[in-house]
Short mmCIF file of all heavy atoms in Angstrom, two decimals:
data_model
loop_
_atom_site.label_atom_id
_atom_site.label_comp_id
_atom_site.label_asym_id
_atom_site.label_seq_id
_atom_site.Cartn_x
_atom_site.Cartn_y
_atom_site.Cartn_z
N LYS A 30 16.82 -6.81 -15.40
CA LYS A 30 15.92 -5.81 -15.94
C LYS A 30 15.08 -5.13 -14.87
O LYS A 30 14.67 -3.98 -15.02
CB LYS A 30 14.98 -6.45 -16.96
CG LYS A 30 15.67 -6.94 -18.22
CD LYS A 30 14.66 -7.43 -19.24
CE LYS A 30 15.37 -7.99 -20.47
NZ LYS A 30 14.44 -8.26 -21.58
N SER A 31 14.78 -5.88 -13.84
CA SER A 31 13.84 -5.37 -12.85
C SER A 31 14.52 -4.82 -11.60
O SER A 31 13.94 -4.05 -10.85
CB SER A 31 12.87 -6.46 -12.42
OG SER A 31 13.57 -7.52 -11.78
N GLY A 32 15.75 -5.25 -11.38
CA GLY A 32 16.40 -4.83 -10.14
C GLY A 32 16.00 -5.66 -8.95
O GLY A 32 16.38 -5.37 -7.82
N VAL A 33 15.21 -6.69 -9.18
CA VAL A 33 14.82 -7.59 -8.11
C VAL A 33 15.76 -8.79 -8.16
O VAL A 33 16.04 -9.32 -9.23
CB VAL A 33 13.37 -8.07 -8.29
CG1 VAL A 33 13.00 -9.08 -7.22
CG2 VAL A 33 12.43 -6.87 -8.28
N SER A 34 16.27 -9.21 -7.04
CA SER A 34 17.26 -10.27 -7.04
C SER A 34 16.69 -11.59 -7.58
O SER A 34 15.51 -11.89 -7.40
CB SER A 34 17.79 -10.51 -5.62
OG SER A 34 16.82 -11.14 -4.84
N ALA A 35 17.56 -12.31 -8.24
CA ALA A 35 17.13 -13.57 -8.85
C ALA A 35 16.65 -14.55 -7.78
O ALA A 35 15.70 -15.30 -8.01
CB ALA A 35 18.27 -14.19 -9.65
N SER A 36 17.30 -14.53 -6.65
CA SER A 36 16.89 -15.47 -5.60
C SER A 36 15.46 -15.18 -5.14
O SER A 36 14.66 -16.07 -4.92
CB SER A 36 17.85 -15.43 -4.42
OG SER A 36 17.81 -14.18 -3.79
N HIS A 37 15.19 -13.90 -5.04
CA HIS A 37 13.84 -13.53 -4.62
C HIS A 37 12.83 -13.93 -5.70
O HIS A 37 11.76 -14.47 -5.39
CB HIS A 37 13.76 -12.04 -4.35
CG HIS A 37 12.51 -11.64 -3.64
ND1 HIS A 37 12.02 -12.30 -2.55
CD2 HIS A 37 11.63 -10.64 -3.89
CE1 HIS A 37 10.90 -11.72 -2.14
NE2 HIS A 37 10.63 -10.72 -2.93
N LEU A 38 13.18 -13.67 -6.92
CA LEU A 38 12.28 -14.05 -8.02
C LEU A 38 12.03 -15.56 -8.01
O LEU A 38 10.89 -16.00 -8.21
CB LEU A 38 12.91 -13.64 -9.36
CG LEU A 38 12.98 -12.13 -9.61
CD1 LEU A 38 13.77 -11.82 -10.88
CD2 LEU A 38 11.57 -11.54 -9.71
N GLY A 39 13.08 -16.30 -7.77
CA GLY A 39 12.91 -17.74 -7.70
C GLY A 39 11.94 -18.15 -6.61
O GLY A 39 11.06 -18.98 -6.82
N ARG A 40 12.09 -17.53 -5.46
CA ARG A 40 11.19 -17.88 -4.36
C ARG A 40 9.78 -17.48 -4.68
O ARG A 40 8.81 -18.17 -4.30
CB ARG A 40 11.69 -17.24 -3.07
CG ARG A 40 12.90 -17.96 -2.50
CD ARG A 40 13.19 -17.51 -1.07
NE ARG A 40 14.34 -16.65 -1.02
CZ ARG A 40 15.47 -16.94 -0.32
NH1 ARG A 40 15.53 -18.05 0.39
NH2 ARG A 40 16.48 -16.13 -0.30
N ILE A 41 9.63 -16.36 -5.35
CA ILE A 41 8.28 -15.94 -5.74
C ILE A 41 7.67 -16.98 -6.68
O ILE A 41 6.53 -17.39 -6.51
CB ILE A 41 8.32 -14.55 -6.43
CG1 ILE A 41 8.66 -13.47 -5.40
CG2 ILE A 41 6.99 -14.26 -7.10
CD1 ILE A 41 8.96 -12.11 -6.02
N GLU A 42 8.46 -17.40 -7.64
CA GLU A 42 7.95 -18.36 -8.61
C GLU A 42 7.49 -19.65 -7.97
O GLU A 42 6.51 -20.24 -8.37
CB GLU A 42 9.04 -18.67 -9.66
CG GLU A 42 9.15 -17.65 -10.75
CD GLU A 42 9.90 -18.20 -11.95
OE1 GLU A 42 10.51 -19.29 -11.84
OE2 GLU A 42 9.87 -17.56 -12.99
N ARG A 43 8.23 -20.09 -6.98
CA ARG A 43 7.79 -21.35 -6.37
C ARG A 43 6.98 -21.12 -5.11
O ARG A 43 6.84 -22.02 -4.28
CB ARG A 43 9.00 -22.27 -6.17
CG ARG A 43 9.93 -21.93 -5.09
CD ARG A 43 11.21 -22.76 -5.22
NE ARG A 43 12.23 -21.91 -5.83
CZ ARG A 43 13.21 -21.33 -5.10
NH1 ARG A 43 13.32 -21.54 -3.83
NH2 ARG A 43 14.08 -20.55 -5.70
N GLY A 44 6.45 -19.93 -4.99
CA GLY A 44 5.44 -19.68 -3.96
C GLY A 44 5.95 -19.57 -2.54
O GLY A 44 5.19 -19.71 -1.59
N GLU A 45 7.23 -19.30 -2.39
CA GLU A 45 7.78 -19.17 -1.04
C GLU A 45 7.77 -17.73 -0.56
O GLU A 45 7.98 -17.48 0.63
CB GLU A 45 9.21 -19.72 -1.01
CG GLU A 45 9.29 -21.20 -1.35
CD GLU A 45 10.76 -21.65 -1.50
OE1 GLU A 45 11.66 -20.94 -1.00
OE2 GLU A 45 10.97 -22.69 -2.11
N ARG A 46 7.61 -16.84 -1.48
CA ARG A 46 7.51 -15.43 -1.12
C ARG A 46 6.34 -14.82 -1.87
O ARG A 46 6.01 -15.25 -2.97
CB ARG A 46 8.79 -14.67 -1.47
CG ARG A 46 9.98 -14.98 -0.59
CD ARG A 46 9.81 -14.41 0.79
NE ARG A 46 11.04 -14.50 1.56
CZ ARG A 46 11.46 -15.60 2.16
NH1 ARG A 46 10.74 -16.71 2.04
NH2 ARG A 46 12.58 -15.59 2.86
N PHE A 47 5.77 -13.77 -1.27
CA PHE A 47 4.63 -13.12 -1.90
C PHE A 47 5.00 -11.66 -2.11
O PHE A 47 5.05 -10.88 -1.16
CB PHE A 47 3.40 -13.29 -1.03
CG PHE A 47 3.10 -14.75 -0.83
CD1 PHE A 47 3.60 -15.42 0.27
CD2 PHE A 47 2.38 -15.45 -1.77
CE1 PHE A 47 3.37 -16.78 0.44
CE2 PHE A 47 2.14 -16.80 -1.60
CZ PHE A 47 2.65 -17.48 -0.50
N PRO A 48 5.23 -11.30 -3.35
CA PRO A 48 5.85 -10.01 -3.64
C PRO A 48 5.00 -8.83 -3.23
O PRO A 48 3.78 -8.85 -3.35
CB PRO A 48 6.04 -10.06 -5.16
CG PRO A 48 4.99 -11.00 -5.64
CD PRO A 48 4.87 -12.03 -4.56
N SER A 49 5.66 -7.83 -2.76
CA SER A 49 4.98 -6.58 -2.42
C SER A 49 4.62 -5.85 -3.70
O SER A 49 5.05 -6.22 -4.79
CB SER A 49 5.89 -5.70 -1.57
OG SER A 49 6.96 -5.22 -2.37
N ALA A 50 3.87 -4.81 -3.55
CA ALA A 50 3.44 -4.04 -4.71
C ALA A 50 4.63 -3.46 -5.47
O ALA A 50 4.63 -3.43 -6.70
CB ALA A 50 2.51 -2.92 -4.27
N HIS A 51 5.65 -3.04 -4.73
CA HIS A 51 6.82 -2.48 -5.39
C HIS A 51 7.47 -3.50 -6.31
O HIS A 51 7.88 -3.19 -7.42
CB HIS A 51 7.84 -2.01 -4.36
CG HIS A 51 7.45 -0.74 -3.71
ND1 HIS A 51 7.23 0.42 -4.41
CD2 HIS A 51 7.20 -0.45 -2.42
CE1 HIS A 51 6.88 1.37 -3.57
NE2 HIS A 51 6.85 0.88 -2.37
N ILE A 52 7.60 -4.70 -5.79
CA ILE A 52 8.25 -5.75 -6.57
C ILE A 52 7.40 -6.07 -7.80
O ILE A 52 7.92 -6.18 -8.91
CB ILE A 52 8.43 -6.99 -5.70
CG1 ILE A 52 9.36 -6.68 -4.52
CG2 ILE A 52 9.00 -8.15 -6.53
CD1 ILE A 52 10.78 -6.40 -4.88
N LEU A 53 6.12 -6.18 -7.61
CA LEU A 53 5.23 -6.44 -8.74
C LEU A 53 5.40 -5.37 -9.81
O LEU A 53 5.50 -5.66 -11.00
CB LEU A 53 3.76 -6.46 -8.28
CG LEU A 53 3.24 -7.75 -7.67
CD1 LEU A 53 1.78 -7.58 -7.29
CD2 LEU A 53 3.42 -8.92 -8.63
N GLN A 54 5.43 -4.15 -9.35
CA GLN A 54 5.55 -3.03 -10.27
C GLN A 54 6.84 -3.14 -11.10
O GLN A 54 6.86 -2.85 -12.29
CB GLN A 54 5.56 -1.74 -9.46
CG GLN A 54 5.50 -0.47 -10.30
CD GLN A 54 5.47 0.76 -9.42
OE1 GLN A 54 5.94 0.73 -8.28
NE2 GLN A 54 4.91 1.85 -9.95
N ARG A 55 7.89 -3.57 -10.43
CA ARG A 55 9.17 -3.64 -11.14
C ARG A 55 9.27 -4.79 -12.11
O ARG A 55 10.02 -4.70 -13.10
CB ARG A 55 10.30 -3.77 -10.12
CG ARG A 55 10.50 -2.54 -9.32
CD ARG A 55 11.28 -2.90 -8.11
NE ARG A 55 12.57 -2.26 -8.10
CZ ARG A 55 13.29 -2.14 -6.99
NH1 ARG A 55 12.83 -2.64 -5.87
NH2 ARG A 55 14.44 -1.55 -7.03
N ILE A 56 8.61 -5.87 -11.82
CA ILE A 56 8.77 -7.03 -12.70
C ILE A 56 7.71 -7.09 -13.79
O ILE A 56 7.82 -7.90 -14.71
CB ILE A 56 8.78 -8.35 -11.91
CG1 ILE A 56 7.42 -8.59 -11.24
CG2 ILE A 56 9.88 -8.35 -10.87
CD1 ILE A 56 7.36 -9.88 -10.45
N ALA A 57 6.74 -6.22 -13.72
CA ALA A 57 5.65 -6.27 -14.70
C ALA A 57 6.18 -6.12 -16.13
O ALA A 57 5.98 -7.01 -16.96
CB ALA A 57 4.60 -5.21 -14.39
N LYS A 58 6.84 -5.04 -16.38
CA LYS A 58 7.29 -4.78 -17.74
C LYS A 58 8.27 -5.84 -18.24
O LYS A 58 8.10 -6.35 -19.36
CB LYS A 58 7.93 -3.40 -17.85
CG LYS A 58 7.01 -2.36 -18.51
CD LYS A 58 5.71 -2.17 -17.74
CE LYS A 58 5.28 -0.74 -17.62
NZ LYS A 58 6.18 0.09 -16.78
N PRO A 59 9.30 -6.15 -17.48
CA PRO A 59 10.23 -7.20 -17.93
C PRO A 59 9.54 -8.50 -18.28
O PRO A 59 10.03 -9.26 -19.11
CB PRO A 59 11.15 -7.39 -16.71
CG PRO A 59 11.14 -6.07 -16.04
CD PRO A 59 9.75 -5.52 -16.23
N LEU A 60 8.39 -8.74 -17.70
CA LEU A 60 7.66 -9.97 -17.99
C LEU A 60 6.65 -9.77 -19.11
O LEU A 60 5.93 -10.69 -19.49
CB LEU A 60 6.94 -10.47 -16.75
CG LEU A 60 7.81 -11.19 -15.71
CD1 LEU A 60 7.01 -11.44 -14.44
CD2 LEU A 60 8.32 -12.50 -16.29
N GLY A 61 6.59 -8.56 -19.61
CA GLY A 61 5.66 -8.31 -20.70
C GLY A 61 4.22 -8.05 -20.24
O GLY A 61 3.30 -8.15 -21.01
N PHE A 62 4.08 -7.71 -18.98
CA PHE A 62 2.75 -7.36 -18.47
C PHE A 62 2.63 -5.86 -18.35
O PHE A 62 3.62 -5.15 -18.15
CB PHE A 62 2.51 -7.97 -17.08
CG PHE A 62 2.29 -9.45 -17.08
CD1 PHE A 62 3.20 -10.28 -16.44
CD2 PHE A 62 1.19 -10.01 -17.68
CE1 PHE A 62 3.00 -11.66 -16.41
CE2 PHE A 62 0.99 -11.39 -17.66
CZ PHE A 62 1.89 -12.21 -17.03
N GLU A 63 1.39 -5.39 -18.41
CA GLU A 63 1.15 -4.02 -17.99
C GLU A 63 1.04 -4.06 -16.47
O GLU A 63 0.65 -5.07 -15.90
CB GLU A 63 -0.15 -3.49 -18.60
CG GLU A 63 -0.07 -3.24 -20.08
CD GLU A 63 1.02 -2.23 -20.43
OE1 GLU A 63 1.18 -1.26 -19.68
OE2 GLU A 63 1.71 -2.44 -21.46
N GLU A 64 1.37 -2.95 -15.85
CA GLU A 64 1.32 -2.93 -14.40
C GLU A 64 -0.04 -3.38 -13.85
O GLU A 64 -0.12 -4.27 -13.02
CB GLU A 64 1.61 -1.52 -13.89
CG GLU A 64 3.09 -1.15 -13.97
CD GLU A 64 3.32 0.32 -13.62
OE1 GLU A 64 2.34 1.02 -13.36
OE2 GLU A 64 4.48 0.75 -13.63
N ASP A 65 -1.08 -2.74 -14.33
CA ASP A 65 -2.38 -3.06 -13.77
C ASP A 65 -2.80 -4.50 -14.07
O ASP A 65 -3.53 -5.12 -13.33
CB ASP A 65 -3.44 -2.08 -14.28
CG ASP A 65 -3.60 -2.16 -15.79
OD1 ASP A 65 -2.63 -2.55 -16.45
OD2 ASP A 65 -4.67 -1.81 -16.29
N GLU A 66 -2.26 -5.00 -15.17
CA GLU A 66 -2.56 -6.38 -15.55
C GLU A 66 -2.02 -7.33 -14.48
O GLU A 66 -2.71 -8.23 -14.01
CB GLU A 66 -1.89 -6.66 -16.89
CG GLU A 66 -2.44 -7.82 -17.68
CD GLU A 66 -1.75 -7.90 -19.04
OE1 GLU A 66 -1.10 -6.91 -19.45
OE2 GLU A 66 -1.84 -8.95 -19.68
N LEU A 67 -0.77 -7.11 -14.13
CA LEU A 67 -0.15 -7.97 -13.14
C LEU A 67 -0.78 -7.79 -11.76
O LEU A 67 -0.98 -8.75 -11.03
CB LEU A 67 1.36 -7.69 -13.08
CG LEU A 67 2.20 -8.72 -12.32
CD1 LEU A 67 1.93 -10.12 -12.83
CD2 LEU A 67 3.67 -8.39 -12.45
N PHE A 68 -1.11 -6.58 -11.45
CA PHE A 68 -1.80 -6.34 -10.17
C PHE A 68 -3.14 -7.08 -10.13
O PHE A 68 -3.54 -7.59 -9.09
CB PHE A 68 -2.01 -4.85 -9.95
CG PHE A 68 -0.85 -4.16 -9.34
CD1 PHE A 68 0.24 -3.77 -10.11
CD2 PHE A 68 -0.80 -3.92 -7.98
CE1 PHE A 68 1.34 -3.15 -9.53
CE2 PHE A 68 0.29 -3.29 -7.39
CZ PHE A 68 1.36 -2.91 -8.17
N THR A 69 -3.79 -7.09 -11.25
CA THR A 69 -5.05 -7.78 -11.30
C THR A 69 -4.85 -9.29 -11.14
O THR A 69 -5.56 -9.94 -10.38
CB THR A 69 -5.76 -7.51 -12.65
OG1 THR A 69 -5.97 -6.11 -12.76
CG2 THR A 69 -7.11 -8.23 -12.70
N LEU A 70 -3.83 -9.80 -11.84
CA LEU A 70 -3.53 -11.22 -11.70
C LEU A 70 -3.15 -11.56 -10.27
O LEU A 70 -3.44 -12.65 -9.79
CB LEU A 70 -2.39 -11.61 -12.65
CG LEU A 70 -2.73 -11.63 -14.13
CD1 LEU A 70 -1.48 -11.81 -14.97
CD2 LEU A 70 -3.72 -12.75 -14.42
#
Side-chain angles (χ1 to χ4, degrees):
Chain A
K30 293 186 184 190
S31 64
V33 176
S34 72
S36 65
H37 192 46
L38 291 173
R40 284 193 254 241
I41 290 170
E42 278 198 349
R43 73 193 101 102
E45 297 172 19
R46 288 289 190 281
F47 301 92
S49 70
H51 284 301
I52 298 292
L53 278 181
Q54 187 179 25
R55 290 162 115 162
I56 65 180
K58 257 60 138 292
L60 283 171
F62 287 116
E63 289 301 321
E64 285 172 359
D65 62 334
E66 200 176 344
L67 193 52
F68 274 81
T69 301
L70 289 171

